[in-house]
Amino acid sequence: MLAFTHVAAGCASSLLVAEYMHATPVQTILIMAGGIIGSHLPDIDHPKSAFGSRILPLSIPISTVFGHRGITHSLLAVAGMSWLIWWSLYHLHWHQGYAVPVVAGVATGYLSHLAGDWLTNSGVPLLWPSKRRFVSPLKLCTGDLREYLLAFAMYGWVIFECTRVFAP
Ligand SMILES: [Zn+2]
């Protein structure tokens, strides 16, 4: 799945979570920022991905040890990343009213990435270290027309909802 689509899914899913949490506009921005960041994080294991290519000192060793779509594409990684961010923000003395939205956003964006990759032929090893890959019965080929339609639909909905949420 393309980074363009992962970001769309990260935005849309985190905006849904913000609405579910009855977040304030500031909290909504934090949740969505977390969602965008989280939607990139799993591909830290791919040195040629949009995200991994920007942090080669991390992506190359992770890719070498675990391979692409290994541990970083698992529920264990979602839990570990959420805990790490929570722990970091706690020690940075972030107010809970801001730390919780960031963690919720990152976890949501991360999960949206896994859901996106689940829709592709390769699937995702959600229960890593088990090697079993979970694959959707309805598949998308990376970069095909259906993926672009899905991404544009999500961006359209996000823009529509943002004009409502952030309306003066
Ligand atoms: Zn991925």
Side-chain angles (χ1 to χ4, degrees):
M1 189 155 271
L2 301 168
F4 173 79
T5 313
H6 281 308
V7 172
C11 285
S13 59
S14 59
L15 184 54
L16 273 175
V17 166
E19 291 185 355
Y20 179 77
M21 292 173 66
H22 302 289
T24 65
V26 171
Q27 290 172 327
T28 299
I29 291 169
L30 290 171
I31 293 170
M32 290 185 73
I36 292 168
I37 293 167
S39 72
H40 284 295
L41 286 176
D43 280 348
I44 197 171
D45 66 356
H46 191 339
K48 291 184 178 169
S49 70
F51 182 58
S53 64
R54 289 178 171 82
I55 47 166
L56 291 174
L58 276 177
S59 62
I60 289 174
I62 292 172
S63 169
T64 304
V65 174
F66 298 107
H68 181 44
R69 292 196 183 182
I71 187 174
T72 65
H73 286 67
S74 70
L75 296 176
L76 183 65
V78 179
M81 188 61 66
S82 300
W83 177 83
L84 183 65
I85 293 170
W86 171 256
W87 183 85
S88 302
L89 296 178
Y90 177 80
H91 286 282
L92 288 171
H93 304 291
W94 268 49
H95 188 280
Q96 274 205 345
Y98 296 134
V100 169
V102 170
V103 174
V106 171
T108 302
Y110 208 112
L111 286 168
S112 76
H113 182 112
L114 301 187
D117 283 354
W118 171 71
L119 287 169
T120 64
N121 284 328
S122 304
V124 283
L126 285 178
L127 300 179
W128 190 95
S130 164
K131 292 193 184 310
R132 178 178 173 208
R133 289 205 172 218
F134 292 81
V135 183
S136 165
L138 299 172
K139 297 185 188 82
L140 288 178
C141 289
T142 300
D144 76 1
L145 179 62
R146 292 176 304 159
E147 180 178 348
Y148 280 102
L149 290 174
L150 178 65
F152 281 118
M154 288 189 286
Y155 279 121
W157 180 78
V158 166
I159 290 167
F160 175 79
E161 277 299 295
C162 281
T163 56
R164 191 182 64 75
V165 169
F166 297 108

